[in-house]
Amino acid sequence: MTETTLEDVERSLDRATDLETDEAVSVLRTARQDIENLGNDPDVDEGRRRELEERLDQRIREIKERDAYDSGLGAAMNPEDDDAP
């Protein structure tokens, strides 16, 4: 089994852009774990690793916020629904 590289994590980050919410979050969480594991590797560029880690965290937050916004927007558009604000 080969070890994950920063390039692999970056590809996962890019790939998640084209996925549905649940799949994207899953891919990003796996990539997040991979990036944490790379923190123990002395051969990894720590600055680049931290940058990717921040991008991953930001992307996960964006997806969760988008999903929450979309859910709330749907309820506001259908006030008859029980969960409308």
Side-chain angles (χ1 to χ4, degrees):
M1 184 173 151
T2 62
E3 281 197 33
T4 303
T5 65
L6 291 176
E7 290 78 18
D8 295 332
V9 172
E10 194 160 24
R11 277 192 292 275
S12 293
L13 182 61
D14 292 338
R15 187 171 69 95
T17 304
D18 300 327
L19 300 174
E20 295 295 322
T21 300
D22 291 341
E23 279 184 274
V25 170
S26 177
V27 166
L28 292 171
R29 283 188 175 147
T30 299
R32 179 72 167 86
Q33 183 62 51
D34 291 340
I35 202 88
E36 284 179 19
N37 293 342
L38 287 170
N40 299 325
D41 187 340
D43 296 329
V44 171
D45 177 348
E46 184 60 22
R48 184 160 176 241
R49 190 195 71 78
R50 273 195 238 124
E51 176 195 329
L52 279 173
E53 186 174 39
E54 289 173 16
R55 284 179 56 199
L56 282 165
D57 289 342
Q58 180 180 359
R59 184 70 57 88
I60 290 169
R61 279 191 308 273
E62 287 171 358
I63 290 171
K64 286 181 176 181
E65 288 172 7
R66 180 189 68 204
D67 192 43
Y69 176 79
D70 290 346
S71 296
L73 181 60
M77 291 175 63
N78 297 310
E80 301 84 40
D81 291 350
D82 291 339
D83 57 347

